[in-house]
Amino acid sequence: MLYDRLDRLRDRTTTRLAELYKQRGFNHQAVWEREAFVDREVERMERLLGVDRGLCFGRLDTIEGSVSHIGRIALADEEYNPLLIDWRAPAAEPFYRATAANPGQLARRRHIQVRHRKVIGVDDEVFVGDAQAAPAGSIHGEAALIASLNAHRTGRMSDIVATIQAEQDRIIRAPLKGILVVQGGPGTGKTVAALHRAAYLLYTHREQLERSGVLVIGPNSTFMRYIDQVLPSLGETGVNLTTIGGLLPGIEASADDDALAQLKGDLRMAGVVAAAVRYHQRVPRKPVRLEIDGVGLDLDPEFVRTARTRARRSRRSHNEARPVFVREVLRPLALQYLERSGQAVDDDELADMRAELADHPDVRSVLDDLWPALSPQSLLAALFSDPKLVSAAARSLDPEERHLLQRSGRSQDGPWSEADIPLLDEAAELLGEIPDETALAAARRAEQERRAEQEFAADLLTGLDLGFPVDASQVAERYRGTPASTTTEQRAAQDRAWAYGHVIIDEAQELSPMAWRMVMRRVPSKSMTVVGDIAQTSAVAGARSWSAVLDPHAEGRWRLQTLSVNYRTPAEVMKVAADVLASIDPSLTPPESVRSTGEAPSAVPVTPDRLDDRLAELVAVDLDAEAEGRTAVIVPSRRAEDVYARLTDPGGGGIPPETVALGTRDPAALDARLVVLTVNQAKGLEFDSVIVMEPAEILAESARGATDLYVAVTRPTQHLTVLYTGDLPDELASLAP
Ligand SMILES: Nc1ncnc2c1ncn2[C@@H]1O[C@H](COP(=O)(O)OP(=O)(O)OP(=O)(O)O)[C@@H](O)[C@H]1O
């Protein structure tokens, strides 16, 4: 019946679309309106097509005998009687929250498993009678949950609407306001819960968030691709997904080395950038002599100092305060000129003289030297290459750090690293826009084009002789398809200063203090969901505690929720991971695995000369066993290229090269059956089978002790193999053969 209704709605939408396509626009307004209707119907159709799989997955029976069904979207019959409740509606909440100890009005909760539109299983929890003895807070919908956790991985994260657990639901439905921090061990569903929260917030606060937009920030482009299907599968497409390196429109960022990234992420850099801006607001040591049309002028340092003080007091950004500085410098110069050339001094003369001096190339060159217009890129390029600027601006850094900063050596055109992005953003904030000539010229050109289009539209309307009044400027605007047709997320992505309505940060433990400053600027309302795990911090500039990173921005205004059940990693693997966690901090508790596979992880010792061959053998076994699944080889970063080359060598282990991908090279690497990854790239991802290669080297490479090893061993959903030469690290002693 539900699928009948769905089919009928689809048919109706198809018919409407066909009619719209047949319609001929008799004028531009009609054409534009038709396009808008088509867009809306196409969107509706996409939503109806996307919900086929698992349209309905739950049923609730109350003690009063009422029955309701829970699904991906809301459906009603012709008389508007509800047939299906959207999982995000308040009425669906008991489906996720009811427990045996606290069933509310529920008599029964049913999980329904559907394949190809046929019910293939039901799983009932009865809340009346003896069943109430079931322990409070236990897993619900266990059969559906375990089936979904045991399924082969596809390289893309799926939604979990049918099996959201109560502790996750509390996070998903938490109020929009304020900063919610979700701390949880690996595999506890932080990412997936955060994405469902985005869908929930868009549903519940649609009007507000559609206008302001939602931003999801993740650790790298491979990860963003891994999660990018979840929101569309929940019917939400208007969310921006990006990395810290992707937050500045028009700039692509690569990685820095650890020491440099740590320094650039340090909070002291905010002061360094601010000092670098001030360094460019100069006062000359002695008067500057200018010769203008035979009249000698002296620009006294005191004039400049006064002008600089006034410009700084204007509280505008550097570029926006420049006109104040220029005006203040030109005032005494104009006066001098008039006096020394024996001309009358009055207000009109002074104003004319100032305008003339402003255009004089010698005066402009002096002004450019004293208070230059600066772009964030030019400021940072100077900071990374000019020793004088570094020693003036970076007094808070020690000599070694200053030297390191200079090693960056960027030109104005980059290339920029991820750690540069927050610094560029900081600079952009202090500098403001440059009112540059090209932009002004472009604006003038755009205005001319607009007028021409309006004239064209007016001619067209006259020719059509419509018999009713139509505004030519509106037709021209719509015809051009400018702002009216751009979506919120497109506009937000192009605008550095966009204020988002809500920001979700995943793997948030990796953000440096400078990156936090940048993110906070994106969301003045501080409505945020911050998810991560302090025990998995790899970045040296990353978080050591949530209060250390959040208190400077919102002391006392953030709340913490924890997740404690591990849905990804089987108990056998988690036992090994628990030893690694204990070596990071013995007081930390590992999350409890929800299932076990009965298969113990293994450690495979090998001599260095056999390392490649043995790896190829292990990979071949995995690829064979996981006919549909995904395998990852997690390697020390210096080995990644080499391991990939060996595995794809046609004379190597007989693995078809097209099944292998290298994470550092291709964000679509997870589409391949086998992927070679560094720990950094494996962050947040999961695979049926994982081979961790040379754990001792991973430990040695890691700037934060055993955290990288902890991340590596917690990636598999089924099998873990550790391949090593030499000795097995103490952290993995329990695996010793
Ligand atoms: N309620 C659930 N129902 C079904 N699958 C779930 C549920 N919760 C989590 N999972 C699955 O568990 C796996 C781990 O989830 P996720 O990646 O969100 O964990 P995480 O806490 O972000 O892990 P990490 O810290 O390693 O990044 C995913 O495959 C996710 O779909």
Side-chain angles (χ1 to χ4, degrees), residues 145 148-149 153 157-160 163-165 168 184-193 223 226 506-507 531-533 536 563 566-568 683-686 714-715 717:
L145 176 68
S148 125
L149 299 179
R153 301 295 106 177
M157 182 177 255
S158 318
D159 70 73
I160 57 159
T163 53
I164 293 169
Q165 297 298 305
Q168 297 171 326
T188 50
K190 298 182 296 295
T191 300
V192 81
F223 179 85
Y226 167 61
D506 201 351
E507 304 291 345
V531 310
D533 180 12
Q536 293 184 63
L563 288 174
N566 180 349
Y567 299 94
R568 175 193 301 135
K683 198 150 269 198
L685 307 179
E686 63 187 24
T714 50
R715 296 307 101 196
T717 63

Side-chain angles (χ1 to χ4, degrees), residues 659-689:
T659 56
V660 192
L662 178 63
T664 39
R665 203 173 287 171
D666 182 7
L670 300 186
D671 291 347
R673 294 277 320 279
L674 172 69
V675 59
V676 179
L677 295 167
T678 63
V679 178
N680 244 333
Q681 282 155 351
K683 198 150 269 198
L685 307 179
E686 63 187 24
F687 305 87
D688 298 70
S689 191

